[in-house]
Amino acid sequence: MTIFIAPIGTDTEHIKTWLKEESRNLSTLWLIHSKKGNNDFIKIAKKLSSDLSKSYSNIEIKLKAISDAFTIDPTMDAIYEVITQEELEDVMVNRQDFIINITGGTNIMAAAAMNAATFNQTRAQYVLQPQPKDHGQSVHASMLILLVICFILDMYDYLKEHVKWVQH
């Protein structure tokens, strides 16, 4: 059993690519999206869910909206809530049953997804999409650098707010 948690934005092709390759043991797909902004992300998520349901009828698709795609906490909190909910619904689920996609949504959502995978001790996967020749490896290197910087800067703040610290 696999539970796939995927932040999405305007581009959702990475979800379709991942499903083509990895959907064998997938039981649940969670699409994490922001609320309406310049784009109607709720509509994008519902359309993707509807389209995927036609091809993957054996997969339960769930949607989760976040308040802000440009700060780390809403995405990290949403992922934690999804993991907690799935664990409560099925006591046989363990953290290695979860795969968190770090490809979609804003760069901040991707960084939050990477942080959430580390914090929750789950697996993380990046879907490599074809890039125009002029972008080459620099796009992927920039994403990796951004993820590392966000992880370093925000993990401490997140832990400080969400973990009870005990002093001796």
Side-chain angles (χ1 to χ4, degrees), residues 76-134:
M76 287 189 71
D77 291 343
I79 292 170
Y80 178 75
E81 290 166 10
V82 165
I83 292 170
T84 303
Q85 179 179 334
E86 291 291 336
E87 288 175 331
L88 288 172
E89 290 176 6
D90 184 352
V91 295
M92 298 303 291
V93 171
N94 72 53
R95 294 290 170 104
Q96 289 305 301
D97 292 329
F98 294 91
I99 298 174
I100 300 175
N101 183 278
I102 61 170
T103 312
T106 64
N107 285 342
I108 298 300
M109 288 173 78
M114 187 68 218
N115 287 352
T118 302
F119 181 77
N120 292 295
Q121 299 178 344
T122 67
R123 295 180 285 164
Q125 291 184 355
Y126 180 82
V127 177
L128 186 60
Q129 296 286 79
Q131 298 291 323
K133 283 189 175 190
D134 60 341

Side-chain angles (χ1 to χ4, degrees), residues 11-142:
D11 181 18
T12 59
E13 285 303 309
H14 64 284
I15 304 297
K16 297 171 188 173
T17 300
W18 188 89
L19 286 170
K20 286 178 190 172
E21 298 290 326
E22 303 290 334
S23 65
R24 290 176 301 286
N25 297 318
L26 187 63
S27 61
T28 308
L29 167 62
W30 279 91
L31 300 175
I32 297 179
H33 59 87
S34 56
K35 296 177 181 174
K36 287 185 180 181
N38 291 340
N39 294 297
D40 188 346
F41 294 105
I42 296 168
K43 185 176 180 179
I44 291 170
K46 286 181 178 179
K47 179 169 179 4
L48 178 61
S49 175
S50 175
D51 292 347
L52 293 175
S53 294
K54 294 171 188 167
S55 299
Y56 300 95
S57 59
N58 59 324
I59 298 172
E60 183 177 9
I61 301 172
K62 300 178 181 180
L63 307 178
K64 184 149 187 81
I66 59 170
S67 59
D68 183 5
F70 295 97
T71 57
I72 293 249
D73 286 348
T75 302
M76 287 189 71
D77 291 343
I79 292 170
Y80 178 75
E81 290 166 10
V82 165
I83 292 170
T84 303
Q85 179 179 334
E86 291 291 336
E87 288 175 331
L88 288 172
E89 290 176 6
D90 184 352
V91 295
M92 298 303 291
V93 171
N94 72 53
R95 294 290 170 104
Q96 289 305 301
D97 292 329
F98 294 91
I99 298 174
I100 300 175
N101 183 278
I102 61 170
T103 312
T106 64
N107 285 342
I108 298 300
M109 288 173 78
M114 187 68 218
N115 287 352
T118 302
F119 181 77
N120 292 295
Q121 299 178 344
T122 67
R123 295 180 285 164
Q125 291 184 355
Y126 180 82
V127 177
L128 186 60
Q129 296 286 79
Q131 298 291 323
K133 283 189 175 190
D134 60 341
H135 286 114
Q137 294 297 322
S138 64
V139 171
H140 303 297
S142 298

